[in-house]
Amino acid sequence: PTVLLITDHTLLITGADPDERFVEILERVVLSNPTDRTFLADLEKGGMPQMLRFGLPESAYNLDVRSSLVGGEVLQVDKGFAITTPVPPTSNEAHHLEYIYRVPYEADLTVDIGRSLRFNTKVFKIVLPQTLADLKAPQFNDMGSIDLGTRELRLLEGTDFKTDAELDLQLSNLPDSAFFSRMARKSGRWYRNIVAPSLVLVGL
């Protein structure tokens, strides 16, 4: 797998749900195999299996993976996921992967979305709504904002990351629902789960 190269990696923070307190992230990867041989996953090799592996934030869930590569399966591995799909040599068009997942955040409205990079990466971009949250990303250059009609997006970019590089990424000041709104939802659940069934029982 060391011969594989990621030419472009984009991490797009699509939004956050203040009620359920999770951030949704979409990542798009352009993968290149510059050799004249197909890379095949080796699941029998001792030690770390030789597979197409990608790092995720520690508490990521609801993972969904799409790929232009054919065959194989997606496996959950330590600190991310792996794909057993063969990776043929790149000819005129590179291989593409896209995956989406959620990361929960707590009452401090902060979440760590850092991870390890499993391949050499030429360009890594981060895109997020300008007013969604504050992003700490010391290894990236702030490229300013992009106005897309009704939304203003912030763009950050880093280049020439090496295999096993640790990305330091942290979101803070994430959106939070109002106190009374949370209380209303909790009261609604309490009524639905306890009071309503009790009233039905009394009626019967």
Side-chain angles (χ1 to χ4, degrees):
T2 56
V3 302
L4 302 177
L5 172 68
I6 292 179
T7 57
D8 188 275
H9 191 143
T10 301
L11 185 156
L12 173 63
I13 301 170
T14 62
D17 187 322
D19 295 333
E20 300 297 330
R21 282 187 178 156
F22 66 80
V23 178
E24 190 167 72
I25 298 176
L26 170 68
E27 301 198 34
R28 291 174 175 166
V29 175
V30 180
L31 178 70
S32 174
N33 177 1
T35 72
D36 60 352
R37 299 184 181 186
T38 295
F39 169 76
L40 297 176
D42 184 359
L43 305 180
E44 304 299 328
K45 191 170 184 177
M48 180 67 70
Q50 301 297 300
M51 293 184 292
L52 192 59
R53 301 172 67 236
F54 296 91
L56 291 174
E58 186 174 350
S59 54
Y61 69 101
N62 272 23
L63 175 68
D64 183 29
V65 181
R66 309 290 175 93
S67 172
S68 64
L69 296 167
V70 179
E73 59 182 324
V74 178
L75 305 175
Q76 183 176 353
V77 297
D78 181 40
K79 298 183 179 180
F81 70 96
I83 303 177
T84 61
T85 310
V87 184
T90 304
S91 53
N92 296 328
E93 186 175 352
H95 309 297
H96 296 266
L97 294 98
E98 182 175 286
Y99 48 98
I100 190 168
Y101 55 90
R102 293 175 177 178
V103 184
Y105 60 92
E106 301 299 333
D108 62 358
L109 309 182
T110 299
V111 63
D112 185 355
I113 59 170
R115 79 287 307 278
S116 298
L117 295 181
R118 302 304 181 187
F119 304 98
N120 290 331
T121 303
K122 291 183 66 175
V123 179
F124 196 116
K125 297 189 288 287
I126 302 174
V127 183
L128 73 158
Q130 184 73 33
T131 58
L132 178 68
D134 296 328
L135 174 63
K136 173 190 172 185
Q139 299 144 296
F140 290 77
N141 297 316
D142 195 331
M143 310 301 289
S145 60
I146 306 169
D147 191 358
L148 293 180
T150 58
R151 301 191 78 184
E152 187 175 6
L153 303 177
R154 181 183 174 195
L155 174 64
L156 298 94
E157 185 177 290
T159 58
D160 297 324
F161 291 102
K162 301 301 181 184
T163 302
D164 293 330
E166 294 286 343
L167 295 187
D168 181 12
L169 302 172
Q170 188 177 76
L171 290 168
S172 60
N173 294 324
L174 284 157
D176 187 24
S177 58
F179 172 77
F180 290 109
S181 176
R182 290 201 304 273
M183 290 301 295
R185 285 195 308 278
K186 289 181 179 178
S187 298
R189 287 195 295 268
W190 177 74
Y191 180 87
R192 183 176 65 251
N193 297 332
I194 299 175
V195 177
S198 300
L199 292 175
V200 172
L201 182 60
V202 169
L204 291 173

